[in-house]
Amino acid sequence: SFGFYQNAFAIEYLEITKPESFSNLDPGTKVLYKARVIVKPGVLGKRIFYLDGAEVYSHWQDFPVVDSGDLIEVKGELSFPFNYPRIKIKSKEDIAVIDKGDLSSVETIKLEKESFYPLQLVNVSGEVIEKQGDRVYLWVNENFGIVCEVKDSLGLNKELIKQGDFISGKGIVFPKDNEINVVLVSFQKDLAKQGLEEQTITLPKYKESIRHYLFISLGCLLILFFSFN
């Protein structure tokens, strides 16, 4: 998981090959990390952008032109301001673009249980059981639920999501307190699953009662009719 990289000024950088390795390091460690961009600079903050597994920070907002899916190599100082890895750079010269790409280039896992690393790009799917502003509460299975954030800055329209919808998408894991928080970078409605649910809906009880009452009333009227004839 670790290796060493030395630049022309004899500063040693610890090469990180697995994002899970960040948790074993101390703040202030000089690191070199290569990963795909999940959210480009300026979208979720003027001084930050996100790689798969780490946040990149520049106080001077000095970033090269990068886009979601690009493979980059970044070197800088490690910190954990919100319990997840942040790499602080001095200038855009600390970032090298290795390859262009898109989010399909990023390896993802399906988030079904608490087996993830902070800022990992994951696939999520489930039923919307509640919606409050930007926050959508997603029920994944009988034992697991997550909170998803739908942000306008990422070009997503939260008004398209309604309670009871089945949705799937990609997002970044931000562990917060006792809940799993995922900032969605894309989503779509699972129309096939919603169609299946519509086909299996049973007649509501109150409608069954009305139907039952109508049958009884019709039967009584027929008995009375034949009694007088």
Side-chain angles (χ1 to χ4, degrees):
S1 299
F2 299 119
F4 281 98
Y5 167 84
Q6 194 171 34
N7 72 359
F9 300 99
I11 298 176
E12 287 189 338
Y13 290 86
L14 189 64
E15 185 176 3
I16 307 300
T17 58
K18 294 182 179 180
E20 299 93 326
S21 302
F22 283 118
S23 61
N24 299 321
L25 302 177
D26 295 323
T29 303
K30 305 292 185 182
V31 295
L32 177 75
Y33 183 50
K34 183 165 65 176
R36 295 275 177 183
V37 176
I38 301 177
V39 179
K40 64 183 181 180
V43 176
L44 291 178
K46 293 181 179 180
R47 293 185 171 91
I48 57 174
F49 72 95
Y50 290 94
L51 304 178
D52 185 30
E55 178 185 270
V56 180
Y57 174 87
S58 169
H59 177 76
W60 307 109
Q61 305 173 35
D62 187 18
F63 299 116
V65 176
V66 295
D67 210 341
S68 298
D70 290 353
L71 179 64
I72 72 166
E73 190 174 67
V74 56
K75 58 186 178 183
E77 183 178 308
L78 182 66
S79 63
F80 299 90
F82 303 103
N83 295 322
Y84 51 75
R86 167 186 281 181
I87 301 173
K88 181 180 178 180
I89 65 171
K90 293 181 179 179
S91 74
K92 62 184 178 184
E93 305 303 323
D94 291 333
I95 296 175
V97 179
I98 307 299
D99 184 34
K100 304 296 287 184
D102 54 43
L103 285 182
S104 64
S105 306
V106 184
E107 183 178 351
T108 59
I109 65 164
K110 185 175 182 181
L111 186 60
E112 293 183 309
K113 54 183 180 178
E114 297 183 21
S115 58
F116 57 86
Y117 51 82
L119 305 184
Q120 183 175 19
L121 185 65
V122 295
N123 294 315
V124 296
S125 62
E127 181 183 2
V128 177
I129 58 173
E130 189 177 350
K131 179 183 173 186
Q132 294 181 351
D134 293 344
R135 293 164 67 85
V136 172
Y137 297 82
L138 202 63
W139 193 243
V140 177
N141 58 44
E142 63 274 8
N143 299 311
F144 187 60
I146 58 176
V147 178
C148 295
E149 290 189 36
V150 186
K151 294 186 177 293
D152 295 335
S153 60
L154 284 165
L156 303 181
N157 185 358
K158 59 179 176 290
E159 302 304 326
L160 296 176
I161 301 177
K162 308 295 182 185
Q163 186 171 331
D165 285 349
F166 287 84
I167 66 171
S168 59
K170 295 180 183 292
I172 316 170
V173 180
F174 287 84
K176 291 185 178 180
D177 300 324
N178 296 320
E179 68 182 20
I180 299 173
N181 199 63
V182 175
V183 174
L184 293 179
V185 297
S186 66
F187 78 87
Q188 62 183 10
K189 290 190 177 184
D190 194 340
L191 298 178
K193 199 163 187 177
Q194 287 175 197
L196 179 64
E197 290 295 315
E198 290 172 1
Q199 293 170 17
T200 58
I201 290 176
T202 57
L203 192 67
K205 289 184 178 180
Y206 77 91
K207 289 187 177 179
E208 291 178 346
S209 300
I210 293 173
R211 185 173 64 179
H212 183 65
Y213 172 77
L214 289 174
F215 280 139
I216 294 174
S217 299
L218 180 60
C220 291
L221 288 172
L222 289 173
I223 291 171
L224 288 173
F225 176 78
F226 286 112
S227 298
F228 287 104
N229 289 283

